[in-house]
Amino acid sequence: MTREKFDGRKRVIIEAASPEVDGGAFPAKRVIGDAVQVEADIFTDGHDVISAVVLHRHDARPDAAWAEERMRPLVNDRWRADFKVEALGFHRFTIEAWIDHFLTWHRDLKKRVDGGASEDELRVQLQIGREQIRAAAMRARARDRRKLEAFIETLDSDDPIPEKLDELRSEDLLALMARNAERRFAARYPCELLIEVDRPKAAYSTWYELFPRSAARQEGKHGTFADVEAQLPRVARMGFDVLYLPPIHPIGVTFRKGKNNRVEAAPDDVGSPWAIGASEGGHKAVHPQLGTIDDFEHLVGAAKTAGIEVAMDIAFQASPDHPYVREHPQWFLMRPDGTIQYAENPPKKYQDIYPFHFESDQWEALWDELRDVFAFWAQKGVRVFRVDNPHTKPLPFWEWCIRDLKREWPDLIFLAEAFTRPKIMYRLAKAGFTQSYTYFAWRQTRQELTDYFEEITRPPVSDLFRPNVWPNTPDILTEQLQFGGRSTFTMRLILAATLSSSYGIYGPAYERFVHQAREHGSEEYLDSEKYEVKYWPPAEDDLTELIVAVNRIRRENIALQQNTTLTFHPTDNENILCFSKTAGENAIVVAANVDPHNTHAGWIDLDLGALGLDTGHPFQAHDLLSGARHTWHGARNYVQLNPQVVPAHIFRIRRRVRTERDFEYFL
Amino acid sequence: MTREKFDGRKRVIIEAASPEVDGGAFPAKRVIGDAVQVEADIFTDGHDVISAVVLHRHDARPDAAWAEERMRPLVNDRWRADFKVEALGFHRFTIEAWIDHFLTWHRDLKKRVDGGASEDELRVQLQIGREQIRAAAMRARARDRRKLEAFIETLDSDDPIPEKLDELRSEDLLALMARNAERRFAARYPCELLIEVDRPKAAYSTWYELFPRSAARQEGKHGTFADVEAQLPRVARMGFDVLYLPPIHPIGVTFRKGKNNRVEAAPDDVGSPWAIGASEGGHKAVHPQLGTIDDFEHLVGAAKTAGIEVAMDIAFQASPDHPYVREHPQWFLMRPDGTIQYAENPPKKYQDIYPFHFESDQWEALWDELRDVFAFWAQKGVRVFRVDNPHTKPLPFWEWCIRDLKREWPDLIFLAEAFTRPKIMYRLAKAGFTQSYTYFAWRQTRQELTDYFEEITRPPVSDLFRPNVWPNTPDILTEQLQFGGRSTFTMRLILAATLSSSYGIYGPAYERFVHQAREHGSEEYLDSEKYEVKYWPPAEDDLTELIVAVNRIRRENIALQQNTTLTFHPTDNENILCFSKTAGENAIVVAANVDPHNTHAGWIDLDLGALGLDTGHPFQAHDLLSGARHTWHGARNYVQLNPQVVPAHIFRIRRRVRTERDFEYFL
């Protein structure tokens, strides 16, 4: 550091601002309407009073003046201010702080008066204050200047000193001086930090997955987009707002996989929708048996009318029949024998799949084309993408691609399907993915669920990573679901829907308790519809009504539409998991039996503070699933959960309020 | 991010490097001989093998090539490498990592062979490998090139494939390929990080404080530098290696304070050494009654001969009589009545002290002069400075001043006397202070000591902050010392000397158990030598011999010369504090009774892993204070401590070793 680079009179230090992701290298994520709570350590040498403000503005208006929020000190030199974000896209903020000589003088003047300062001393002090007010008046514009000059006139008058001191206590004067403060030596935080603001659905969404080709209303038929449209009322009634479809593109025939992922396909096998590309086209085409692009657009529109967004699956890989293979062979890795490198995990070979070669000399053209795939579908009205295996494509690609697309469509939502190591999952989130799949399916004990959700719902992770939890997917039929029976499906759905503000199910299989694995030790479904057309006839006594109830509870309780207030409460039975979420007046407590086989009972020890309750008053726990209402009288409460009946309570906590007329009701 | 700025083929991500202080804004601190352990999260998309290196060099050789240390993967995508620092000053490091296509191919080749790949397939693979070796040969210099070409010739020969595969397994080939790796798309960590290397005394030092004016060998005399010289053998025998003297400059007379800090001084009162400056001079002069600058230099040299460094106290403030007041009135704040602003904490006034006005227009001249004060004494041979109240001077000043001085004298040590809020103390350490005073004096219970030392001896704090712990100072006579008796002085000395690798005492008072406060509730000494000349006659049965023993134990046990391995062990009595330190073969366990009034006994539960012991073998605990030897057989061991006898054990742990000749001894 050379002294010439800076003004040594900037004495305030600003450190450790939050939210800050990797020193400002990536934005922190919020949604429209959020209050961004900015904090920093702010201090200086000596005992002078500091003033500090958060400066913020939308990144699209770099020339606009910063808006300012005054920060207030907490404890241990930590300061805080909030600002609300009301527009999509990037918001930028930083912090400015300065020694406030006027406030220092004002504080000390009070101490001097209280300490019995002499009249001579007070006269000198009033002169010092007068000079500061004078300087502020010089900086101020018309109205403020006139008001400040009025104070100066009072100080210059013959009024007795006590009256002048009275005048200086005015809140008006403090506000005027704050607005026109001397900020010549104000220090700035060393960098500007970003907030990326998405629409509310980025934080709160309810997903349903189905295979369009299995949507036919008649056995033995290949489903179409029109068949999917016919399912919309049912999906909407269940309370889902995103309908996710596996890839809808033409499917390759070369090395096509047979039923149950057999290496040899039978002539009538339909193949995996993830083997993308055939003579009919690639990532910008649709599989002819599903319909046309117009039919797809019609589905997107009909879904929107039903309150549902269609999420497309984007899987960046090509079957050997993909037009890219012929048109852009440079985008694939050529082996010395002149063949194209297929996907491998030696000694396993996936000859039906060609990965893209991202170290190609033509990498820029490849990047452009891949981005254009998203753009193509965005132009057709799609705003939600589920990206298949993003962790097998370069992280810098995603950072560029997603940011570039959101510049044009800031309402886009990208869900990362990356079941990989934690640091890679978090980096994908930093690179721009809006939501991410999680390890939820494999977190089953009280301890596992507590540890994992405490990690992903608190900063620093929660500033960048938004979980979307799935009890099952077409690739994941956990051992617990295979052997736990109906109570497991019920319990895991309730946990998914309440632990996380975003969750989803691979619906046709989940509703019907489909639980048979391809073979022992596998998480693959037997006769998976990844490789064949299924027919899902209407079912009775399936999970539908529970799903309807749970999703209604989510809609009616804003506490469940976010994760930041998730709090786990101790219980004396390790099979009973208890947690709560609160938002404003709304408070939800969930008590779940995580053992699907046995009834468990125990005491839960509620953190009443986290629920906004005081210990002195009874409160009502209203079970939103059964309708039962209990009056509770303190932190310790007893629950008993029989998984064969219902493995969990979802309580709404209602505070008892006594009005003036001595009438009790619950809020 | 615009795509043009970077090459999208750099696919490796490097994150969260350590040691890293505030994103690289400040150096991490180490001493000569340390191995700097560098870690980072390193990963990429897909399944390719990564190679990574730490690049490092001394900052004084910016044009030198980076030295490289190969990193090895730990768990969870964390990688590590060490490099040793052997020169004072700043070292710079960063990390480079790349997809290692050769190692990926090499790993996969083994899997292919194990998986029974066809001969055709292997032939293609050998061709891919050959091309990579060929490319490495083109990059390599003479000798490596010839060796790589020999491998190519083998691959090109008619040898059967199994023999070629054998050849490829050679460690030689792996080393050659590592040295000549393809690093075209290597990624770099986004910034270069600094290590500041000090001499060993920065981390391990033993301080003794005395007032030179009280060093006279005869009552009623004003001590001199020559008197201090006469004390050197005694200080050296006790095992101290830094002798810290309060300010030695001329003392102001205007508003001089009297005995016990009275506002009115008597004519013969000598004043406080911290009221610096009189007609005889200021910060570059010495108080005439102590001697001359030559006498001081003589003392510095004599101390050096005795293995002791003299630490000067630098207090940046002026008495009204300081020459600066006359020569540089711009360096002080002028009040509207034409008087200079004295120090105040309203309603308290310190009219004998003028603080410097760091917002002066002449701030640059002021900075230069203050730096020159240090330079002046450094030229006289002083290399250790204790800085008085650095937190009342601007933090940017220290950052500039210390770095500038260390450019010329990289062996300087600065101790910050900042008893203030934690974030300010840590920021002073970031600004360049080598060591800092701590809250040790007020951390007295087991919990308080454990919490505090866990905070300050572990990263991130330990990378920037080096504690120097003092049970007393001339300003701090804790209530515990006032009322705890001799056992408290013993216990607190042992704790200071073993918890922290640097500690110090205000010796004449500590040795003699001086414990009377000026008044109830005060931590000031009664008749403090801050305001008067004292005479300290030789004492009998004082703490000297314990100090001799404890400091000898510190010298003979390298575990006590560092803090990074400090580990606390559980005990079942909250009055018994147990902790250990290890270094190489040396392991020390301390068990202390923190209650000075009562005997306590209890079980300690040693973390044998932290001590490098395995559970199966007995070991010896050798009490280095009493000489007693105990054979212990596992983690749980009983101790009983009577504070009236000795309030602590300092055990050296000796592992029992069985040699070939069945002869047991303890290491």
Side-chain angles (χ1 to χ4, degrees):
Chain A
M1 183 178 71
T2 64
R3 198 179 56 191
E4 289 61 41
K5 281 192 198 150
F6 73 110
D7 190 319
R9 291 171 294 183
K10 295 183 174 176
R11 293 161 44 205
V12 178
I13 306 293
I14 312 172
E15 288 188 335
S18 69
E20 176 175 310
V21 178
D22 288 7
F26 302 99
K29 295 187 165 98
R30 294 293 186 273
V31 294
I32 282 186
D34 276 350
V36 179
Q37 190 173 87
V38 176
E39 291 190 2
D41 295 339
I42 305 179
F43 50 84
T44 187
D45 58 282
H47 306 287
D48 291 334
V49 178
I50 289 172
S51 282
V53 290
V54 170
L55 307 175
H56 61 103
R57 67 176 169 222
H58 197 283
D59 219 26
R61 296 186 296 274
D63 300 325
W66 293 102
E68 288 193 3
E69 314 293 333
R70 208 164 169 85
M71 301 182 83
R72 59 189 186 284
L74 309 172
V75 293
N76 194 18
D77 294 313
R78 195 84 183 147
W79 291 61
R80 179 188 291 167
D82 297 346
F83 68 92
K84 213 158 180 189
V85 282
E86 307 276 17
L88 291 175
F90 289 91
H91 294 244
R92 187 174 289 269
F93 73 91
T94 191
I95 294 166
E96 194 165 294
W98 60 94
I99 308 272
D100 197 317
H101 288 297
F102 180 75
L103 286 183
T104 306
W105 170 83
H106 199 265
R107 174 199 66 188
D108 289 349
L109 182 64
K110 182 177 181 326
K111 291 191 199 169
R112 289 175 208 279
V113 172
D114 295 350
S118 70
E119 219 172 89
D120 271 3
E121 178 56 33
L122 289 177
R123 210 164 280 127
V124 172
Q125 290 303 327
L126 288 178
Q127 215 176 329
I128 291 172
R130 181 200 185 278
E131 280 167 29
Q132 298 194 15
I133 298 170
R134 171 88 261 157
M138 307 273 282
R139 287 187 295 272
R141 298 208 180 185
R143 197 161 11 150
D144 278 3
R145 182 164 56 227
R146 283 192 298 273
K147 289 183 186 168
L148 287 163
E149 277 164 357
F151 280 101
I152 296 166
E153 278 167 37
T154 302
L155 289 176
D156 289 346
S157 73
D158 294 336
D159 293 353
I161 287 182
E163 281 182 26
K164 291 181 179 175
L165 292 172
D166 245 15
E167 191 70 10
L168 288 169
R169 285 192 197 98
S170 137
E171 286 295 325
D172 253 14
L173 176 61
L174 290 175
L176 282 163
M177 290 301 289
R179 269 205 301 280
N180 300 289
E182 169 59 87
R183 289 162 70 164
R184 191 162 51 125
F185 302 137
R188 275 277 178 103
Y189 193 63
C191 60
E192 295 178 3
L193 300 170
L194 291 174
I195 303 289
E196 183 169 22
V197 177
D198 287 308
R199 55 199 172 107
K201 189 167 270 179
Y204 166 52
S205 57
T206 313
W207 292 53
Y208 191 86
E209 174 175 4
L210 61 75
F211 285 71
R213 69 184 178 190
S214 299
R217 282 153 285 186
Q218 201 181 327
E219 187 152 19
K221 283 241 180 177
H222 191 288
T224 64
F225 294 131
D227 292 323
V228 176
E229 271 193 48
Q231 299 232 19
L232 290 171
R234 196 181 71 85
V235 173
R237 187 179 90 78
M238 282 194 286
F240 292 99
D241 56 19
V242 181
L243 176 62
Y244 151 47
L245 310 178
I248 57 171
H249 313 298
I251 296 171
V253 293
T254 306
F255 293 108
R256 175 178 282 188
K257 293 288 166 68
K259 292 194 178 67
N260 285 306
N261 202 24
R262 281 195 206 101
V263 175
E264 299 286 319
D268 62 342
D269 274 340
V270 291
S272 160
W274 284 275
I276 294 169
S279 56
E280 299 92 345
H283 286 78
K284 294 175 184 165
V286 299
H287 190 62
Q289 285 182 277
L290 292 172
T292 64
I293 288 185
D294 283 349
D295 295 340
F296 177 72
E297 283 194 73
H298 193 272
L299 166 62
V300 170
K304 199 171 176 187
T305 306
I308 294 171
E309 288 192 63
V310 170
M312 274 189 80
D313 191 329
I314 300 293
F316 282 141
Q317 54 198 17
S319 94
D321 310 315
H322 197 297
Y324 289 158
V325 177
R326 199 176 60 248
E327 294 164 12
H328 302 283
Q330 322 85 334
W331 293 350
F332 302 91
L333 181 62
M334 207 63 73
R335 296 170 10 133
D337 63 354
T339 61
I340 287 178
Q341 178 68 59
Y342 45 81
E344 279 188 291
N345 184 12
K348 288 192 200 157
K349 302 174 180 187
Y350 307 96
Q351 285 153 315
D352 57 329
I353 297 291
Y354 289 168
F356 291 112
H357 178 48
F358 282 93
E359 289 186 8
S360 161
D361 290 340
Q362 306 287 316
W363 65 276
E364 288 171 292
L366 173 62
W367 281 28
D368 285 341
E369 173 61 18
L370 298 183
R371 179 201 48 195
D372 282 353
V373 169
F374 288 107
F376 179 87
W377 295 108
Q379 279 151 3
K380 308 280 179 239
V382 177
R383 287 292 179 276
V384 185
F385 294 100
R386 179 267 196 194
V387 178
D388 189 78
N389 281 334
H391 57 294
T392 60
K393 288 91 197 171
L395 289 147
F397 165 70
W398 293 120
E399 200 176 336
W400 166 82
C401 176
I402 294 175
R403 191 159 300 189
D404 200 68
L405 289 162
K406 287 184 87 168
R407 199 170 296 131
E408 189 157 357
W409 297 283
D411 56 343
L412 286 179
I413 288 175
F414 296 86
L415 168 63
E417 190 252 0
F419 291 103
T420 181
R421 306 193 303 281
K423 286 169 184 169
I424 301 178
M425 291 176 68
Y426 295 154
R427 179 72 184 212
L428 284 163
K430 293 175 194 171
F433 279 92
T434 322
Q435 299 185 345
S436 177
Y437 282 78
T438 69
Y439 307 145
F440 168 72
W442 305 282
R443 297 293 178 271
Q444 298 170 357
T445 67
R446 182 179 70 172
Q447 193 66 50
E448 287 168 355
L449 286 162
T450 304
D451 290 349
Y452 187 53
F453 278 87
E454 287 190 338
E455 175 179 330
I456 64 177
T457 62
R458 295 180 182 179
V461 174
S462 61
D463 277 334
L464 57 102
F465 181 87
R466 291 197 191 96
N468 188 332
V469 312
W470 292 63
N472 76 332
T473 78
D475 300 314
I476 302 168
L477 173 66
T478 61
E479 201 184 344
Q480 194 188 30
L481 287 175
Q482 292 172 37
F483 300 104
R486 179 180 184 129
S487 62
T488 307
F489 282 80
T490 308
M491 180 256 290
R492 296 295 294 180
L493 184 109
I494 294 172
L495 288 180
T498 54
L499 278 168
S500 173
S501 53
S502 287
Y503 89 104
I505 54 170
Y506 160 39
Y510 203 84
E511 282 146 36
R512 292 167 178 82
F513 314 112
V514 176
H515 62 275
Q516 215 174 339
R518 198 176 63 198
E519 71 265 339
H520 181 74
S522 169
E523 292 192 334
E524 290 288 337
Y525 282 88
L526 177 69
D527 303 329
S528 167
E529 61 181 317
K530 288 195 290 187
Y531 310 104
E532 56 191 274
V533 174
K534 306 285 275 191
Y535 171 62
W536 299 105
E540 273 182 32
D541 192 30
D542 64 2
L543 210 57
T544 300
E545 294 313 314
L546 179 86
I547 295 170
V548 169
V550 168
N551 286 341
R552 194 199 63 236
I553 291 169
R554 283 164 54 87
R555 262 197 324 279
E556 292 175 355
N557 290 277
I558 57 167
L560 296 174
Q561 297 172 14
Q562 51 79 48
N563 299 327
T564 55
T565 58
L566 176 64
T567 303
F568 290 90
H569 304 266
T571 70
D572 65 358
N573 181 330
E574 66 174 7
N575 292 289
I576 296 185
L577 174 74
C578 180
F579 56 89
S580 68
K581 288 182 166 181
T582 58
E585 291 292 325
N586 187 229
I588 295 290
V589 170
V590 176
N593 177 356
V594 297
D595 171 4
H597 303 291
N598 302 292
T599 297
H600 285 281
W603 291 89
I604 58 179
D605 198 4
L606 292 174
D607 175 350
L608 296 179
L611 294 169
L613 296 169
D614 60 55
T615 47
H617 290 81
F619 55 94
Q620 193 186 74
H622 176 193
D623 186 339
L624 300 175
L625 284 172
S626 73
R629 292 162 193 266
H630 313 270
T631 300
W632 284 354
H633 286 271
R636 278 179 71 79
N637 295 287
Y638 184 80
V639 293
Q640 175 168 330
L641 291 156
N642 178 347
Q644 305 313 320
V645 182
V646 62
H649 298 305
I650 306 177
F651 295 115
R652 174 154 186 201
I653 300 299
R654 293 163 187 266
R655 283 177 295 141
R656 185 175 287 211
V657 178
R658 199 179 283 271
T659 67
E660 280 174 49
R661 296 193 308 169
D662 206 22
F663 171 76
E664 281 188 0
Y665 67 96
F666 287 99
L667 195 68
Chain B
M1 185 177 68
T2 65
R3 199 178 55 192
E4 289 60 42
K5 280 192 199 154
F6 72 110
D7 190 319
R9 292 172 294 183
K10 296 184 175 176
R11 292 162 44 206
V12 179
I13 305 296
I14 312 172
E15 288 188 335
S18 67
E20 176 176 310
V21 179
D22 288 8
F26 302 98
K29 294 188 166 98
R30 294 294 185 273
V31 294
I32 282 186
D34 276 350
V36 179
Q37 188 173 88
V38 176
E39 291 191 2
D41 296 339
I42 306 179
F43 50 83
T44 186
D45 59 282
H47 306 287
D48 291 334
V49 177
I50 289 171
S51 282
V53 290
V54 169
L55 307 176
H56 61 101
R57 68 177 168 222
H58 196 283
D59 219 28
R61 297 186 294 273
D63 300 324
W66 293 102
E68 288 192 3
E69 314 295 331
R70 209 164 168 83
M71 301 182 83
R72 59 191 186 285
L74 309 172
V75 293
N76 194 18
D77 294 313
R78 194 84 183 148
W79 291 61
R80 179 188 291 169
D82 296 346
F83 69 91
K84 214 157 178 190
V85 282
E86 307 276 16
L88 290 175
F90 288 93
H91 294 245
R92 187 174 290 267
F93 74 91
T94 190
I95 295 166
E96 193 166 291
W98 60 96
I99 308 272
D100 196 317
H101 288 297
F102 180 76
L103 285 184
T104 305
W105 169 84
H106 199 265
R107 174 198 66 187
D108 289 349
L109 182 64
K110 182 176 181 331
K111 291 191 198 170
R112 289 176 209 279
V113 171
D114 294 350
S118 70
E119 222 174 85
D120 272 1
E121 178 57 33
L122 290 177
R123 210 165 279 126
V124 173
Q125 290 303 328
L126 288 178
Q127 215 174 326
I128 292 173
R130 181 199 185 279
E131 279 167 30
Q132 298 194 15
I133 299 170
R134 172 88 260 159
M138 307 272 284
R139 285 187 295 271
R141 296 206 181 189
R143 193 154 22 143
D144 278 4
R145 182 163 56 223
R146 285 193 296 273
K147 288 183 186 169
L148 287 163
E149 277 164 358
F151 280 101
I152 295 166
E153 279 166 35
T154 304
L155 289 176
D156 289 345
S157 73
D158 294 336
D159 294 353
I161 288 182
E163 282 181 27
K164 291 181 181 176
L165 292 173
D166 246 13
E167 191 69 11
L168 289 168
R169 283 191 199 99
S170 136
E171 287 295 326
D172 254 12
L173 176 61
L174 290 176
L176 283 162
M177 291 300 289
R179 268 204 301 280
N180 299 288
E182 168 59 270
R183 288 162 70 162
R184 191 162 50 126
F185 302 138
R188 275 277 178 102
Y189 192 64
C191 60
E192 296 178 2
L193 300 170
L194 291 174
I195 303 289
E196 182 168 23
V197 177
D198 286 307
R199 56 197 172 108
K201 188 166 270 178
Y204 166 53
S205 57
T206 312
W207 292 52
Y208 191 87
E209 174 175 4
L210 62 75
F211 284 72
R213 70 183 178 192
S214 299
R217 285 155 280 186
Q218 202 182 327
E219 188 153 17
K221 282 239 182 181
H222 192 288
T224 64
F225 294 130
D227 292 324
V228 176
E229 272 194 48
Q231 299 233 18
L232 289 172
R234 195 180 71 87
V235 174
R237 187 178 91 79
M238 283 193 286
F240 293 99
D241 57 17
V242 181
L243 176 62
Y244 151 47
L245 310 178
I248 58 170
H249 313 299
I251 296 171
V253 292
T254 306
F255 292 109
R256 175 178 282 189
K257 292 289 167 70
K259 292 194 177 68
N260 285 305
N261 201 24
R262 281 194 207 101
V263 175
E264 300 285 320
D268 60 343
D269 275 339
V270 290
S272 160
W274 285 274
I276 294 169
S279 56
E280 299 91 347
H283 287 77
K284 295 175 184 166
V286 299
H287 190 61
Q289 285 183 277
L290 292 171
T292 65
I293 289 186
D294 285 348
D295 296 338
F296 177 72
E297 283 194 72
H298 194 273
L299 165 62
V300 170
K304 200 171 176 188
T305 306
I308 294 171
E309 289 190 65
V310 170
M312 274 188 80
D313 191 330
I314 301 292
F316 281 142
Q317 55 198 16
S319 94
D321 310 315
H322 198 296
Y324 289 157
V325 177
R326 201 178 58 248
E327 293 163 14
H328 302 283
Q330 322 83 337
W331 294 349
F332 302 91
L333 181 62
M334 206 63 73
R335 297 171 8 134
D337 63 353
T339 61
I340 288 179
Q341 178 68 59
Y342 45 82
E344 279 188 291
N345 183 12
K348 287 190 200 158
K349 301 174 181 184
Y350 306 96
Q351 284 151 316
D352 57 331
I353 297 292
Y354 288 167
F356 291 113
H357 178 48
F358 282 93
E359 289 185 9
S360 161
D361 289 341
Q362 305 288 316
W363 65 276
E364 288 170 293
L366 173 61
W367 282 29
D368 285 340
E369 172 63 17
L370 298 182
R371 179 201 50 196
D372 282 353
V373 169
F374 288 107
F376 178 87
W377 295 107
Q379 279 150 3
K380 308 279 178 242
V382 177
R383 288 292 178 276
V384 185
F385 294 100
R386 177 267 198 195
V387 178
D388 189 77
N389 281 332
H391 57 293
T392 60
K393 288 90 198 172
L395 289 147
F397 165 71
W398 293 119
E399 198 176 337
W400 166 81
C401 176
I402 295 176
R403 190 158 301 189
D404 200 67
L405 289 163
K406 287 185 86 168
R407 199 170 296 132
E408 189 158 354
W409 297 283
D411 56 343
L412 286 178
I413 288 175
F414 296 86
L415 168 63
E417 189 253 0
F419 291 103
T420 179
R421 307 191 306 279
K423 287 169 185 169
I424 301 178
M425 291 176 67
Y426 294 155
R427 178 72 183 211
L428 285 162
K430 294 176 196 172
F433 279 92
T434 322
Q435 299 185 346
S436 177
Y437 283 77
T438 69
Y439 307 146
F440 168 74
W442 304 282
R443 298 293 177 270
Q444 299 171 358
T445 68
R446 182 178 70 171
Q447 192 65 49
E448 286 169 355
L449 286 161
T450 303
D451 290 349
Y452 187 52
F453 279 87
E454 287 190 338
E455 175 179 329
I456 64 177
T457 62
R458 296 180 182 178
V461 174
S462 60
D463 277 334
L464 58 101
F465 181 87
R466 293 199 191 96
N468 190 333
V469 312
W470 292 64
N472 76 330
T473 76
D475 301 314
I476 303 168
L477 173 66
T478 61
E479 201 184 343
Q480 194 187 30
L481 288 175
Q482 292 173 36
F483 300 105
R486 180 179 183 130
S487 62
T488 306
F489 282 80
T490 308
M491 180 255 290
R492 295 295 294 179
L493 184 110
I494 294 173
L495 289 180
T498 54
L499 279 167
S500 175
S501 54
S502 288
Y503 89 104
I505 54 172
Y506 160 39
Y510 203 83
E511 284 147 35
R512 292 168 177 82
F513 315 111
V514 176
H515 62 275
Q516 215 173 340
R518 198 176 62 198
E519 72 263 343
H520 182 73
S522 169
E523 293 192 334
E524 290 287 337
Y525 282 87
L526 178 67
D527 302 329
S528 168
E529 61 181 319
K530 290 196 288 188
Y531 311 103
E532 57 191 273
V533 174
K534 306 285 275 193
Y535 171 63
W536 298 106
E540 275 182 32
D541 191 29
D542 64 3
L543 210 57
T544 300
E545 294 313 314
L546 179 86
I547 295 169
V548 169
V550 168
N551 286 340
R552 195 200 61 236
I553 291 169
R554 284 165 52 87
R555 262 198 321 279
E556 293 175 355
N557 291 278
I558 57 166
L560 296 174
Q561 298 171 14
Q562 51 80 47
N563 299 327
T564 56
T565 59
L566 176 64
T567 304
F568 290 89
H569 304 266
T571 70
D572 64 358
N573 181 330
E574 67 175 7
N575 291 290
I576 295 185
L577 175 73
C578 180
F579 56 90
S580 68
K581 289 182 168 183
T582 59
E585 292 291 327
N586 187 227
I588 295 290
V589 170
V590 176
N593 177 357
V594 296
D595 171 5
H597 304 291
N598 302 293
T599 297
H600 286 281
W603 291 88
I604 60 178
D605 198 5
L606 291 175
D607 175 350
L608 296 180
L611 295 169
L613 296 170
D614 59 52
T615 47
H617 291 80
F619 54 94
Q620 193 186 73
H622 177 191
D623 187 338
L624 301 175
L625 283 173
S626 72
R629 291 162 194 267
H630 314 271
T631 299
W632 284 355
H633 287 270
R636 277 178 71 77
N637 295 285
Y638 184 81
V639 294
Q640 176 167 329
L641 291 156
N642 177 346
Q644 305 313 320
V645 182
V646 62
H649 298 305
I650 306 177
F651 295 116
R652 172 150 185 202
I653 299 301
R654 293 162 187 266
R655 283 178 296 140
R656 185 176 288 213
V657 177
R658 200 179 284 273
T659 68
E660 281 174 48
R661 298 192 305 168
D662 207 20
F663 171 77
E664 283 189 356
Y665 66 96
F666 288 98
L667 197 69

